[in-house]
């Protein structure tokens, strides 16, 4: 695997930080140049680059986003500046330990800490030659009960990305299923179900995904985000049995995400009768819901007016 391949897979995550960093470096270079000219008009500038020792096992790369030490401990930040493709297990063990122990996590600094955790997880996924280690460790984090729930969410999301891009092992499949079944009252169930739906297992597990998406979408005790995720999967899968479940979100209290996902279901699988039912509702005052409502009506009209 070459460096451009790693960047292509991760460019969505790092493109904006890289652009910001580039802009900052250009401004700093220009400012330094102007100051140097003022101090010594005869001086000239030269570009220099530090080169790591040829025999170094961890070769440094130009960081796309400099890990700041308010997000990770110093030694972790230093490790994250290296290319994960050239690492050995002992090089990565400290990063896994940082995550598994939630080292340095504090509720009042959770946002910054999670940015560092996200950087660490992305870096670890870059060591693709260590597939078994990556899968086992991500599964362990996703199922861990002693770490912050937000970190478990991040671990599941990174596990989902891995399973979407690789032929993941059975342990990954079992983690998705176990989380979906045991975490119904949290958003983790929806993340796990979505991960499974987008993973390399999606075809062989299509019936399981359909059954549990219907169950989760209709479950009164389920977390709203989990219900919304299940509805979105049902819409994308075109599951006709989801139509009455989607309707129910307009006759009871529901979140914005749930209503928008329900409208996606209605637009995708609704009948001519659904069109008449949905038309009876006035325009929703909430802009995003109103836009989804308009789109669902347009989709239904185009389908059923043409059918008539």
């Amino acid at each position: 695997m070459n460096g451009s391949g790693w960047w292509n897979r991760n460019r969505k995550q790092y493109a904006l930080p890289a652009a910001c960093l580039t802009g900052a470096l250009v401004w700093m270079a220009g400012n330094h140049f102007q100051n140097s000219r003022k101090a010594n008009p005869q001086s000239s500038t030269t570009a220099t680059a530090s080169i790591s020792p040829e025999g170094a096992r961890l070769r440094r790369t130009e960081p796309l986003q400099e890990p700041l030490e308010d997000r990770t401990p110093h030694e972790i930040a230093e490790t994250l500046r290296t290319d994960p493709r050239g690492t050995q297990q002992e090089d990565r063990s400290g990063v896994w330990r940082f995550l598994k122990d939630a080292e340095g996590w504090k509720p009042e600094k959770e946002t910054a800490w999670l940015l560092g955790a996200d950087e660490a997880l992305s870096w670890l996924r870059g060591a693709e030659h260590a597939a078994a280690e990556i899968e086992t460790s991500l599964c362990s984090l996703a199922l861990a009960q002693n770490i912050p729930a937000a970190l478990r969410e991040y671990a599941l999301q990174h596990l989902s990305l891995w399973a979407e891009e690789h032929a993941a092992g059975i342990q990954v499949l079992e983690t998705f299923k176990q989380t979906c079944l045991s975490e119904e009252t949290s958003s983790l169930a929806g993340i796990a179900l979505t991960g499974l739906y987008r993973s390399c297992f999606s075809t062989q597990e299509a019936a399981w995904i359909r059954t549990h998406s219907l169950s989760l979408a209709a479950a009164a005790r389920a977390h709203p985000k989990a219900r919304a995720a299940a509805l979105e999967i049902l819409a994308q899968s075109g599951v006709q049995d989801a139509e009455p479940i989607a309707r129910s979100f307009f006759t009871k209290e529901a979140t914005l995400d749930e209503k928008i996902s329900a409208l996606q279901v209605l637009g995708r699988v609704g009948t001519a009768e659904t069109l008449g039912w949905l038309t009876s509702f006035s325009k929703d005052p909430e802009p995003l819901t109103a836009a989804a409502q308009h789109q669902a009506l347009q989709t239904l009209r185009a389908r059923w007016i043409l059918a008539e």
Side-chain angles (χ1 to χ4, degrees):
M1 182 185 305
N2 55 35
S4 61
W6 186 85
W7 165 250
N8 286 335
R9 289 195 322 278
N10 294 278
R11 63 180 183 272
K12 290 184 179 179
Q13 179 176 357
Y14 292 110
L16 180 57
C20 294
L21 178 58
T22 301
L25 289 173
V26 170
W27 179 87
M28 290 170 62
N31 191 51
H32 175 72
F33 176 79
Q34 292 297 330
N35 291 337
S36 299
R37 290 290 298 272
K38 290 177 182 178
N40 184 5
Q42 302 303 318
S43 65
S44 61
T45 59
T46 58
T48 61
S50 60
I51 302 175
S52 57
E54 189 66 29
R57 187 154 46 88
L58 296 183
R59 297 191 60 188
R60 292 190 179 278
T61 61
E62 293 230 3
L64 298 173
Q65 182 178 7
E66 187 72 8
L68 301 180
E69 292 180 17
D70 63 346
R71 298 202 291 262
T72 56
H74 173 76
E75 62 275 14
I76 301 301
E78 284 294 302
T79 301
L80 298 186
R81 293 185 180 102
T82 64
D83 188 338
R85 295 169 299 173
T87 58
Q88 301 298 321
Q89 194 279 330
E90 58 266 29
D91 304 319
R92 299 183 297 272
S93 61
V95 183
W96 287 119
R97 189 165 53 251
F98 158 71
L99 294 167
K100 291 174 181 177
D101 295 344
E103 183 182 346
W105 178 86
K106 295 178 181 178
E108 64 273 15
K109 294 185 178 180
E110 182 177 67
T111 300
W113 190 90
L114 287 172
L115 284 173
D118 188 43
E119 289 175 347
L121 288 164
S122 296
W123 182 86
L124 288 162
R125 280 197 297 111
E128 296 193 348
H129 59 283
E133 173 195 316
I134 291 170
E135 292 181 13
T136 297
S137 298
L138 285 177
C139 288
S140 176
L141 283 172
L143 296 173
Q145 299 292 324
N146 62 331
I147 62 175
L151 178 55
R152 293 182 65 194
E153 290 186 7
Y154 273 46
L156 270 174
Q157 289 165 357
H158 280 270
L159 187 62
S160 299
L161 288 171
W162 176 271
E164 188 175 351
E165 298 169 351
H166 302 82
I170 191 67
Q171 182 182 19
V172 176
L173 172 61
E174 292 173 349
T175 296
F176 283 141
K177 286 186 171 184
Q178 180 180 338
T179 305
C180 182
L181 294 173
S182 64
E183 300 286 350
E184 187 180 76
T185 57
S186 81
S187 59
L188 291 167
I191 295 171
L193 189 60
T194 301
L196 178 56
Y197 176 68
R198 295 177 179 173
S199 74
C200 58
F201 307 107
S202 59
T203 300
Q204 71 185 62
E205 297 296 332
W208 194 97
I209 293 169
R210 177 183 179 279
T211 297
H212 287 84
S213 293
L214 287 167
S215 175
L216 189 59
R221 66 190 296 270
H223 193 283
K225 289 184 178 180
R227 285 196 296 262
L231 284 167
E232 189 172 343
I233 291 170
L234 292 167
Q236 293 175 9
S237 303
V239 178
Q240 193 71 43
D241 291 347
E243 198 268 356
I245 298 174
R247 283 199 194 194
S248 71
F249 287 91
F250 297 90
T251 57
K252 63 183 179 184
E253 188 174 339
T255 65
L256 173 64
D257 287 344
E258 287 174 312
K259 283 189 174 182
I260 290 176
S261 296
L263 284 163
Q264 291 174 351
V265 171
L266 295 175
R268 178 70 187 274
V269 304
T271 65
E273 199 273 328
T274 305
L275 173 58
W277 177 83
L278 189 57
T279 304
S280 68
F281 286 82
S282 58
K283 181 179 179 180
D284 196 286
E286 200 289 315
L288 292 176
T289 307
Q293 182 180 5
H294 177 72
Q295 181 61 53
L297 285 169
Q298 276 193 321
T299 303
L300 287 167
R301 286 182 182 127
R303 184 162 67 249
W304 293 107
I305 290 176
L306 288 174
E308 292 174 358

